[in-house]
Amino acid sequence: MAAKPVLYYFDGRGKMESVRWLLAAAGVEFEEVFLETREQYEKLLQSGVLMFQQVPMVEIDGMKLVQTRAILNYIAGKYNLYGKDLKERALIDMYVGGTDDLMGFLLSFPFLSAEDKVKQCAFVVQKATSRYFPAYEKVLKDHGQDFLVGNRLSWADIHLLEAILMLEEKKSDALSGFPLLQAFKKRISSIPTIKKFLAPGSKRKPISDDKYVETVRRVLRMYYDVKPN
């Protein structure tokens, strides 16, 4: 029996959360090692497993993978969430890239001052509702299918749902002008593996709090308003 993937990161969302989402959607159980002290992090650095001296890192299939996109690419390909051919893969990459742009605005949110959080929230909502959500609404309208690519579940669908739910935490009616995305959200959320991940008690992380921020800053010796790598 193959060993479970092991995820090395903080006990919070950050860049690892999309990895958790993808593994959970694929029905793959995984283990986690949470970085809580500077000593843990320095031990990883000294061991040489962090190629670019950064987390996330995932142990999977005998490899120690770093760089979030490389990790997600591998998981999507391994578990048939990356399209059936090169054209579908290109579309998935394009949609995931767009969603990444949107989610990037949210990653730094926990590390901002209260004043900057208000400004960032307004900025992200404006970008989502004027640029990103209209694009995905059009994709769904144009092909009339249940999923973004190939009429089957892919990484693109999972990533978009993650982003939608993150934005709804900031503005609950963010999808009010997008009926096809509302239906998409309901449909993807009902897939058994995803429904399980969204249920209480799963390994999905809550909104990052002050404890998470302090842990990240302490471990990485960050004393200014930036996000972790």
Side-chain angles (χ1 to χ4, degrees), residues 173-188:
D173 63 347
L175 286 183
S176 60
F178 305 98
L180 296 181
L181 280 177
Q182 291 176 37
F184 170 88
K185 171 192 165 185
K186 182 177 180 180
R187 188 164 55 246
I188 305 303

Side-chain angles (χ1 to χ4, degrees), residues 30 41 54 68 74 96 102 136 144 151 153 176 201 215:
F30 57 88
Y41 182 59
Q54 298 172 335
T68 310
Y74 184 79
V96 166
L102 175 59
Y136 293 122
N151 206 27
L153 182 69
S176 60
T215 299

Side-chain angles (χ1 to χ4, degrees), residues 146-158:
D146 288 344
F147 304 95
L148 289 174
V149 179
N151 206 27
R152 68 174 182 175
L153 182 69
S154 76
W155 174 19
D157 303 302
I158 298 160

Side-chain angles (χ1 to χ4, degrees), residues 47-140:
S47 73
V49 298
L50 300 181
M51 179 177 288
F52 303 109
Q53 302 177 28
Q54 298 172 335
V55 289
M57 182 183 76
V58 174
E59 286 188 44
I60 185 170
D61 295 341
M63 299 183 291
K64 292 180 173 64
L65 293 178
V66 295
Q67 294 297 310
T68 310
R69 191 61 181 258
I71 294 166
L72 291 166
N73 283 348
Y74 184 79
I75 293 169
K78 178 179 175 67
Y79 296 108
N80 300 312
L81 295 168
Y82 214 171
K84 70 177 187 299
D85 55 31
L86 195 58
K87 288 184 177 180
E88 287 193 357
R89 182 172 176 173
L91 289 174
I92 290 168
D93 282 338
M94 183 169 67
Y95 298 154
V96 166
T99 304
D100 265 343
D101 290 345
L102 175 59
M103 291 177 69
F105 298 130
L106 293 165
L107 275 177
S108 63
F109 201 86
F111 297 86
L112 300 177
S113 67
E115 180 180 354
D116 286 341
K117 284 180 180 179
V118 173
K119 295 177 182 178
Q120 184 77 341
C121 183
F123 174 79
V124 173
V125 170
Q126 189 275 331
K127 286 292 185 184
T129 56
S130 67
R131 177 182 296 181
Y132 297 100
F133 289 174
Y136 293 122
E137 185 84 358
K138 186 177 186 300
V139 170
L140 293 170

Side-chain angles (χ1 to χ4, degrees), residues 159-195:
H159 209 47
L160 180 55
L161 177 62
E162 180 187 359
I164 287 171
L165 295 181
M166 286 176 69
L167 194 69
E168 286 185 331
E169 290 171 346
K170 309 301 180 191
K171 191 176 191 298
S172 60
D173 63 347
L175 286 183
S176 60
F178 305 98
L180 296 181
L181 280 177
Q182 291 176 37
F184 170 88
K185 171 192 165 185
K186 182 177 180 180
R187 188 164 55 246
I188 305 303
S189 297
S190 297
I191 292 171
T193 53
I194 295 176
K195 185 176 181 179

